[in-house]
Structures are given as structure tokens and as C-alpha cells.
Amino acid sequence: LDVSGKGAHYLYPINKKDSVSSLVIQANAINALITGQIFRVENRFFALLILLIVNLFAGLIFYRTKVIHSVIAGLLFLFIYFLTAVLLFENYILIDTILTPSSIVLTFALSHTFLHAREVFEKKHIEDIFGRYLKKEIVEKLVRDPVSALESLKGVKREITILFADIRGFTSFCEKQDSEKVVSILNRLLEAATTAIFEEDGTVDKYIGDAVMVFFNAPQDQPDHADRAVRAALRLMELVSAASKKLPVKLTFGIGINTGEAVIGNIGSSKRLEYTAIGDSVNLASRVCSLARAGEVLITENTLKKLKGDYKLEFVNESQVRGKTEKIKLYKVLKKS
């Protein structure tokens, strides 16, 4: 308080060295009123509307871009917003410079937290589904592209090669053995069969008692799917033959292979779904398998036309199979030449 003979007035500090008299402040206020240079605070409703629009737009971009691109976009949003605040300030308009910028940062954090959580869930979902049908390395490839993998679960129609392998004489063998021994022998034979299938990156559709259904060219693309199926069948016979030498009884498979279009996807009820293939080509492969004798690998003419490698084949006959009006030409694969 400065006391003088002319009266008293307050001193308001501007910085450490100088102070401005309250009279000067009042004079500036009067001058601002006269000249119209008065700061106006934005309307609350308008401020809230801007906040919502900015965050919706920012959230849409954050949701659709990678982290690094989102960071760049977020910094650009903040730069534009603060530049706008400066320009408006020069025109005596005050806008919020705390809440809106902070909400942009929060939107970025929430968007990518959600995206990360969804990615983790999708990868776990893919691993849970395909881990039962494919070898680990193939599952890892699918996990790196979860969008395509999940899309394939919805159902796609494509050409595949289907392989059915059934243990011959196993039913009669079971009647003479105790259940524990039967299960042990079956598991060893199916383990050998699965090893051969996984060596060719085949998809194990299902185990049907003492049989196994396999297909190639799904979910991953395999241009040589027919060759993979034949190679897997020949390798399967080798491994099963080796495994049978250690068993009390010699058992082997009969194998049927067919190539054709099928629908592949997650099929079943809301309580239980299975990634499987359905269609006439699948049924035909099953019929061919039933015609194969112990130790035989039979393929249809459809598969023969798709083979790219050289194999020693033997024409068997033209067979009439259930569900087909025309006879099917069958060939026996002896060995790779």
C-alpha cells in the first residue's frame, strides 16, 4: 500500500523487478472497454461440442492405425489445437487448453489399450482353435495374421485335398483285447499318422475312432496340396509300419485321397464348434478310403490331375461309389519314383 498526500492505491506485481499500479490496471480496463479489446471465453456448450468432435475424430484414427501412426496423428492434433488456441487468443477469444488436449491423450491410451487387448484375445482364440488341428509352426504363422485366420473360420469355399486313413482289422482286434491295451495301441498308431501329416503341414480335421480325416490347402494356401497329401500318405505308411513292429499285432491303414471343392469353417452348434470341411468331395474321399485295402493308398482321378511330382501309380479300376451316378477311376500309389 502506497500512502501519499494524494490518496492510496495498490501495487500489483508483474515480475520480480517491476510492479504496476492498480490505477494503470484500471486504465487498461477502461481502454479495453472503449476499444472493444476484451477477452471472451468460449461458450460451455460450444466447448463441450468441440471436445466431443475432436475426440471422436481422433479416436476413429487411433482405432484404425498402428501405434506409431497414432502417435504422429495425436501430436498433429495437439499442434493444430494449440495453434488454433494461439490464433484465437490474438483475437481475444479464450478456449480450453487443458481439458481437450488431455482428453486426446486419454483417447489415444484407451484406444490402443482396447486394440491390444483385442489382439491378445484374437491370438489366444486362434491358438485354441487351430492348435488342435495344426502343428505349432503353422499356428504361429496364423497368429501373425489373425484377421485372415478369423475370416477363414466364418466359412470359405475352396479346393482342397482330403485324406482319410482307417486302421484295417482294428475292430476285430479290439474284441480280443482289454480296453487299456486297445487305447494304448490306437494312440501309438494315430501318433505316427499325425507325425506324417504334420510333416506335410496338413490339417487334422478329426479322429473318428480308429480313423483320421485330414485336408490340405486350408487354412493356409498350399499350391501343391495334392502332392502333400500323397507324400503324407506314403510317409504315414512308413511310420505306422515301423510302429507296428513294436506292437503285439501288426496293423496298418487303408488310405483314400480325393481333391475337390469343399466348404471349410467353424461348423456346429453354439455349444460346440469344429473347424472342419464339408462337401461332396469330402464324402468321396471317405468312400475311396473304404475301398482301400490294408497298406493301400488309393487316389481319385481328380487328385491325379493335380499332382505335380512323379509317382509310381497303378490303375485299379472304375468303381461305383455310393452317392455317385458315374463310376470313379481309382489309382493306387505304390511309391515315389
Side-chain angles (χ1 to χ4, degrees):
L1 181 65
D2 180 32
V3 181
S4 66
K6 296 181 180 180
H9 59 274
Y10 292 98
L11 298 178
Y12 294 85
I14 299 301
N15 54 47
K16 292 182 178 179
K17 295 182 178 179
D18 303 315
S19 295
V20 177
S21 168
S22 59
L23 294 176
V24 175
I25 294 175
Q26 292 173 11
N28 284 328
I30 294 171
N31 181 66
L33 290 171
I34 294 173
T35 60
Q37 296 177 338
I38 303 172
F39 281 100
R40 290 177 289 115
V41 179
E42 62 179 335
N43 181 275
R44 284 188 177 182
F45 174 77
F46 180 72
L48 181 61
L49 183 63
I50 290 295
L51 184 146
L52 289 174
I53 292 174
V54 168
N55 279 279
L56 284 173
F57 189 57
L60 183 63
I61 292 178
F62 294 155
Y63 184 77
R64 293 178 175 271
T65 58
K66 296 180 180 179
V67 176
I68 184 64
H69 297 149
S70 292
V71 170
I72 295 172
L75 292 175
L76 185 61
F77 271 120
L78 292 175
F79 174 76
I80 293 173
Y81 188 82
F82 282 120
L83 181 62
T84 303
V86 171
L87 294 174
L88 291 176
F89 180 82
E90 291 179 353
N91 288 278
Y92 304 100
I93 300 175
L94 297 176
I95 65 171
D96 165 56
T97 56
I98 296 177
L99 186 59
T100 301
S102 298
S103 66
I104 292 175
V105 175
L106 182 61
T107 300
F108 168 83
L110 291 176
S111 296
H112 282 283
T113 298
F114 170 77
L115 288 174
H116 177 70
R118 190 183 70 173
E119 184 180 355
V120 170
F121 172 79
E122 288 178 348
K123 288 181 177 179
K124 183 67 170 60
H125 185 48
I126 292 169
E127 288 175 350
D128 289 342
I129 292 175
F130 290 109
R132 293 176 288 173
Y133 311 108
L134 301 165
K135 67 180 184 181
K136 184 179 178 181
E137 292 78 6
I138 300 299
V139 176
E140 289 174 352
K141 289 181 182 179
L142 293 174
V143 166
R144 287 195 289 270
D145 188 12
V147 175
S148 298
L150 291 174
E151 193 68 26
S152 68
L153 295 177
K154 297 178 182 179
V156 293
K157 189 175 184 179
R158 64 190 302 173
E159 183 181 75
I160 60 173
T161 296
I162 310 99
L163 180 155
F164 275 88
D166 186 27
I167 303 176
R168 296 296 181 244
F170 192 76
T171 302
S172 58
F173 167 75
C174 292
E175 296 173 354
K176 305 171 186 177
Q177 305 294 331
D178 62 83
S179 57
E180 187 176 339
K181 189 174 182 179
V182 168
V183 171
S184 175
I185 292 174
L186 178 59
N187 285 342
R188 292 176 69 175
L189 293 176
L190 291 178
E191 179 67 28
T194 303
T195 299
I197 292 159
F198 280 2
E199 285 180 2
E200 294 295 337
D201 296 339
T203 301
V204 177
D205 185 304
K206 60 176 69 72
Y207 298 103
I208 315 166
D210 59 348
V212 59
M213 173 184 166
V214 183
F215 55 81
F216 297 82
N217 202 35
Q220 74 276 19
D221 294 329
Q222 296 170 329
D224 59 339
H225 51 90
D227 291 81
R228 287 175 182 265
V230 171
R231 290 198 301 264
L234 296 175
R235 179 62 173 158
L236 186 154
M237 290 299 192
E238 290 178 8
L239 294 180
V240 169
S241 178
S244 292
K245 293 177 181 179
K246 302 177 183 179
L247 299 177
V249 61
K250 187 175 181 180
L251 296 169
T252 189
F253 284 82
I255 298 176
I257 300 174
N258 181 47
T259 301
E261 281 196 341
V263 175
I264 305 101
N266 246 6
I267 298 171
S269 67
S270 59
K271 295 183 179 179
R272 183 177 178 181
L273 292 171
E274 283 189 348
Y275 183 71
T276 188
I278 58 173
D280 184 62
S281 59
V282 178
N283 296 333
L284 180 55
S286 177
R287 304 282 187 270
V288 173
C289 177
S290 65
L291 297 174
R293 293 177 294 183
E296 278 189 342
V297 178
L298 296 183
I299 66 172
T300 63
E301 190 174 23
N302 295 334
T303 300
L304 175 63
K305 291 178 180 178
K306 295 293 180 178
L307 291 176
K308 299 177 180 180
D310 295 324
Y311 302 89
K312 188 174 181 181
L313 303 173
E314 180 183 292
F315 176 72
V316 179
N317 56 33
E318 290 188 4
S319 297
Q320 184 72 51
V321 297
R322 184 160 53 91
K324 288 287 184 181
T325 55
E326 296 181 1
K327 291 185 177 181
I328 304 300
K329 291 183 179 180
L330 298 178
Y331 298 83
K332 180 164 64 173
V333 183
L334 302 178
K335 63 178 180 180
K336 198 173 187 305
S337 60

